[in-house]
Amino acid sequence: MTDGARPNADPGSESDPNPVPDALSTDAVATYLHCPRRYEFAHAYDLEGDGDESSIDDRVDLLRTAICDALRRGETDSQALLEAARDRLEALWDDHDERFHSLAQRRHERRVLEATLEAYVEAVGAEHAAGTEALAADAGAGELIGPDLPLSSTISLPERDGDDEGTADTGALPDSVAIDATVDYVYADGSSVVGVRFVPTLAPLGLLRYRSEWEGDIAGQFTDHFDPDADAFEPSFVGALFETAVVLDGLRNRCDRLGLEDRTCRYVQIPLADRSRTAVNWVRETVETSLETMDLTDRYIDHHTYGMTHEHRNRTVDDCLARVVSDLVAGAFDPTDTGRWDEISSEACPDCDYTVCCQDYIAAEVRFDG
């Protein structure tokens, strides 16, 4: 069961209206940004899609577990950290039942994972390991290493004048909703507490990879996404900013519980399956790769909001997140009511697992002449 919805619900059943979720995940909000109907199928009705899991995600999970377990051992020396991560990966790989077309491919994928571990340790591993130890000394008994450390942010919902046409009758809506996110570990960097999440690639970030601050292009593209008269449709980009808002607020809440109220918070993503940075020597059977870490904090922070509140926040992003979540919990799942159906049908539908049961997609695809 996901995001507070009841299992085994019958889509479209009048006797089983969409329940108001107790909590949402950042992944659920991102799904809603791509298409409200996709969210309804995947999260309100908990229908499984063919593409829910992938071999790449499974391999990232192997690396995530190996790195976190190595960090948990408290090794701050690069070589010792790498050996601990390799040993853990070896044990995990022995139990990994992914099907390959040959033993040669399996050996190659193992070398890619080992090269990724080496790249992680070389780029940031020892520094982050020392940071987790330093933070542990200040935080006492608080859990700092995952994988999948839970974070939560409570979003106050704006008042609604009434349900829009096509919005489900869900009764009284809550004043606030919790949004859940995860990071894989937390470490200290000077006066900052940094949350790190491992991801397959940074490709979903879009423009966020190529701009260093909110003001300018990032702010413009974010605003354009919500403008039905603009050509921009960037749900992954917007979802990344929403996720950053939730993670930073969740980190602040965690710092408060650990007695670290004076710390600022930052959010970093590290890709573990970016093959564009991988070089393979098939003759020598060697693999080399490198990692690009991405700090999303400055790309999210609005310095005007910071100047007024002295907090790492962005009023524009936070207000839009609240409006999107308000629509979601109100049951506004009809994508044709968003004013962006053309963009949704061209960008989201082609890779959607639910087109076979989506009346909006079928109605758009099946037309009769005359």
Side-chain angles (χ1 to χ4, degrees):
M1 185 168 63
T2 59
D3 297 317
R6 283 174 291 175
N8 303 319
D10 179 17
S13 171
E14 294 181 359
S15 62
D16 194 11
N18 300 315
V20 176
D22 299 322
L24 296 166
S25 67
T26 51
D27 287 342
V29 175
T31 301
Y32 187 84
L33 288 170
H34 281 84
C35 176
R37 192 71 75 195
R38 183 189 294 186
Y39 167 86
E40 182 183 24
F41 290 138
H43 296 276
Y45 294 120
D46 201 18
L47 301 180
E48 292 186 3
D50 293 336
D52 285 348
E53 298 292 338
S54 73
S55 58
I56 293 177
D57 292 331
D58 290 341
R59 293 174 208 161
V60 169
D61 284 342
L62 293 178
L63 289 171
R64 172 183 287 116
T65 302
I67 292 172
C68 288
D69 287 352
L71 290 172
R72 193 174 289 107
R73 291 180 57 175
E75 302 286 0
T76 58
D77 174 74
S78 295
Q79 190 59 38
L81 179 64
L82 179 58
E83 290 177 0
R86 279 176 173 167
D87 290 344
R88 185 67 177 115
L89 177 63
E90 181 179 4
L92 293 169
W93 187 254
D94 288 342
D95 294 331
H96 185 56
D97 60 357
E98 180 181 346
R99 298 185 66 178
F100 297 98
H101 62 68
S102 66
L103 288 176
Q105 185 195 11
R106 183 177 177 88
R107 287 194 294 267
H108 169 70
E109 295 300 340
R110 166 75 177 273
R111 287 193 292 268
V112 171
L113 297 183
E114 290 176 341
T116 304
L117 284 182
E118 293 177 10
Y120 166 79
V121 172
E122 180 180 351
V124 297
E127 175 188 347
H128 288 192
T132 58
E133 290 296 295
L135 188 59
D138 295 335
E143 187 66 34
L144 303 176
I145 301 173
D148 297 328
L149 278 178
L151 300 173
S152 185
S153 173
T154 300
I155 306 297
S156 297
L157 303 184
E159 293 185 3
R160 299 175 64 90
D161 295 333
D163 287 338
D164 297 329
E165 183 179 353
T167 298
D169 181 10
T170 57
L173 297 178
D175 295 329
S176 62
V177 172
I179 311 293
D180 297 331
T182 61
V183 293
D184 290 304
Y185 61 87
V186 182
Y187 75 97
D189 181 12
S191 62
S192 295
V193 171
V194 185
V196 176
R197 183 186 177 209
F198 295 120
V199 296
T201 75
L202 299 177
L205 300 182
L207 186 65
L208 295 173
R209 297 180 66 181
Y210 309 109
R211 300 294 185 272
S212 60
E213 60 181 16
W214 163 261
E215 285 78 9
D217 291 341
I218 293 177
Q221 184 164 289
F222 182 87
T223 302
D224 286 347
H225 173 84
F226 293 97
D227 182 356
D229 296 325
D231 294 332
F233 181 70
E234 300 290 342
S236 296
F237 161 87
V238 173
L241 287 168
F242 282 174
E243 179 182 319
T244 302
V246 171
V247 169
L248 290 177
D249 194 45
L251 286 172
R252 283 190 290 267
N253 294 335
R254 181 173 283 266
C255 285
D256 290 344
R257 293 194 299 271
L258 296 175
L260 303 174
E261 300 90 344
D262 58 334
R263 304 292 184 95
T264 58
C265 298
R266 306 189 70 83
Y267 178 42
V268 170
Q269 289 188 357
I270 301 179
L272 296 180
D274 185 355
R275 295 297 176 93
S276 67
R277 305 175 72 90
T278 300
V280 180
N281 187 320
W282 295 103
V283 176
R284 297 183 178 181
E285 296 186 340
T286 60
V287 177
E288 294 181 355
T289 190
S290 60
L291 294 185
E292 173 192 7
T293 63
M294 181 60 60
D295 189 333
L296 293 172
T297 314
D298 289 334
R299 293 157 173 83
Y300 159 77
I301 294 172
D302 171 14
H303 288 94
H304 176 71
T305 302
Y306 178 77
M308 297 179 63
T309 65
H310 298 289
E311 293 183 339
H312 284 180
R313 297 183 184 274
N314 185 314
R315 183 65 58 81
T316 301
V317 174
D318 295 352
D319 288 349
C320 284
L321 173 58
R323 289 197 296 271
V324 168
V325 172
S326 178
D327 290 341
L328 188 159
V329 299
F333 299 145
D334 189 342
T336 62
D337 286 343
T338 63
R340 307 304 298 270
W341 171 242
D342 289 342
E343 290 84 355
I344 291 173
S345 61
S346 62
E347 299 292 334
C349 290
D351 63 351
C352 182
D353 296 323
Y354 304 101
T355 52
V356 68
C357 58
C358 177
Q359 64 268 33
D360 309 294
Y361 175 80
I362 294 172
E365 289 295 305
V366 180
R367 298 183 178 91
F368 296 95
D369 295 332

